[in-house]
Amino acid sequence: MASEGEIKQRFSQLEAWLDERARRLWAAAESVAHGRGGISLVARATGVSRRAITVGLAELQKKPDRSERARLPIRQKGGGRKKTSLKDPDLLVDLEKLLEPVTRGDPQSPLRWTCKSVRNLAEELRAQGHRVSHMLVGELLHEQKYSLQANRKTKEGSSHPDRNAQFEYINAQATEFLKRRQPAISVDTKKKEQVGEYKNGGREWRPEGQPELVQMHDFAKQKDVPCGVYDLGQNAGWVSVGTDHDTSAFAVESIRRWWNMMGREVYSVATQLLITADSGGSNGSRVRLWKLELQKLADENRAGDLGLPLPTGNQQMEPDRAPSVLHDHEELARQTACEP
């Protein structure tokens, strides 16, 4: 008959490999082998409770079929520690109120104007009397089908009642200009690029531990400003890159250079020029410098120009814009991603 020390030695060697169910079955088998007083002896040697050994003895009597052994649960249904959400039924309700203060809670919620991180949520829930950690808050959010999401730009704001009529008018004007072999162009300024050893978005393959070293602060002394001119009739584009600011004078200078380098040769008999723009920034419909510079351009060439600002909220759907407007600039941006 084994002594308490021998049982303790065997258990210490097997403990790391035993789950909860296997541990109680092994302890029950040892108590049966010892005989009378075996339950108390095994409980002292292993630390397994007498109740767990008794449950293990009952399970040994059942002797399940070999095909069912792999499917037996470690614990019986309902066993183990209960979930915090079950012990604290108000936890999920209060969490929902913090996540959606406008629709489900007080508009003056403490998290109304702060970041909804799991740590901030856990701190506020603890202040309300709930025993939670930021890990538990994360698990609850996943159970409720929440996920980390960025803002999505879908709302365009108010739409003018004559918006469709404005589009039809612009399209009719462009069609009429092209029929008369008069130039019709679209003008826009694209994303500014910093010049120098500055961080650029994206990643590239490099030897391990040897990233491209760039400046700590993105205070570039020079920024390139690409301004594109798209010719509807020729399906061709012209890009001017400035090194100063995005001004109306720069936008009109881009048109002037397009005309002198490309447009004049193609439209040798032109007397008018149709210009469409998104009506924002340097080419805004209310910017006086834009109108003044356009008039200077018309006076230089003794021609009339017609500027048509596109309707509000139309920055992403200009009818006369083609992918080739700034193809060269966008291709360069893709090739130099992650490079200063």
Side-chain angles (χ1 to χ4, degrees), residues 69-267:
R69 291 177 186 175
R71 299 194 300 269
L72 286 174
I74 295 175
R75 295 179 178 177
Q76 293 184 1
K77 186 176 181 180
R81 187 175 61 180
K82 301 298 183 291
K83 289 186 175 182
T84 305
S85 56
L86 297 177
K87 295 187 292 184
D88 186 358
D90 295 332
L91 176 59
L92 289 178
V93 176
D94 291 340
L95 180 59
E96 287 283 342
K97 289 181 180 179
L98 292 176
L99 290 170
E100 299 293 343
V102 177
T103 58
R104 295 189 179 91
D106 182 6
Q108 300 301 322
S109 166
L111 290 179
R112 182 74 173 98
W113 308 109
T114 61
C115 175
K116 297 177 183 177
S117 68
V118 290
R119 284 178 170 79
N120 285 341
L121 290 169
E123 183 179 353
E124 183 57 32
L125 288 172
R126 285 194 293 268
Q128 296 180 14
H130 302 286
R131 299 181 60 183
V132 296
S133 65
H134 68 277
M135 298 292 292
L136 176 59
V137 172
E139 293 176 3
L140 293 175
L141 291 176
H142 283 293
E143 290 177 2
Q144 299 300 314
K145 307 301 181 183
Y146 280 88
S147 62
L148 291 173
Q149 300 179 26
N151 296 337
R152 179 179 296 177
K153 293 182 178 180
T154 57
K155 300 179 180 180
E156 294 187 1
S158 59
S159 179
H160 196 279
D162 296 331
R163 189 172 187 227
N164 185 64
Q166 294 172 354
F167 273 117
E168 292 180 354
Y169 175 74
I170 293 173
N171 184 67
Q173 288 290 327
T175 303
E176 191 269 336
F177 264 66
L178 294 177
K179 284 183 178 179
R180 296 191 291 110
R181 298 190 60 80
Q182 300 295 314
I185 61 174
S186 174
V187 184
D188 193 17
T189 302
K190 287 299 183 181
K191 176 179 174 292
K192 301 175 180 65
E193 297 289 347
Q194 298 187 112
V195 179
E197 294 181 339
Y198 299 100
K199 182 176 176 59
N200 201 359
R203 295 184 294 177
E204 65 178 357
W205 291 102
R206 293 183 59 84
E208 185 175 355
Q210 300 181 28
E212 183 78 16
L213 301 181
V214 296
Q215 298 289 342
M216 178 68 71
H217 303 288
D218 294 337
F219 301 140
K221 295 182 179 179
Q222 177 181 334
K223 287 188 176 182
D224 283 349
V225 185
C227 181
V229 178
Y230 174 60
D231 183 353
L232 278 67
Q234 301 297 316
N235 190 28
W238 170 273
V239 178
S240 295
V241 180
T243 58
D244 198 345
H245 296 82
D246 177 21
T247 63
S248 299
F250 170 63
V252 175
E253 180 62 26
S254 299
I255 300 175
R256 180 180 288 107
R257 297 196 180 193
W258 163 82
W259 174 250
N260 292 331
M261 301 295 294
M262 294 178 61
R264 188 187 300 275
E265 181 179 353
V266 177
Y267 303 100

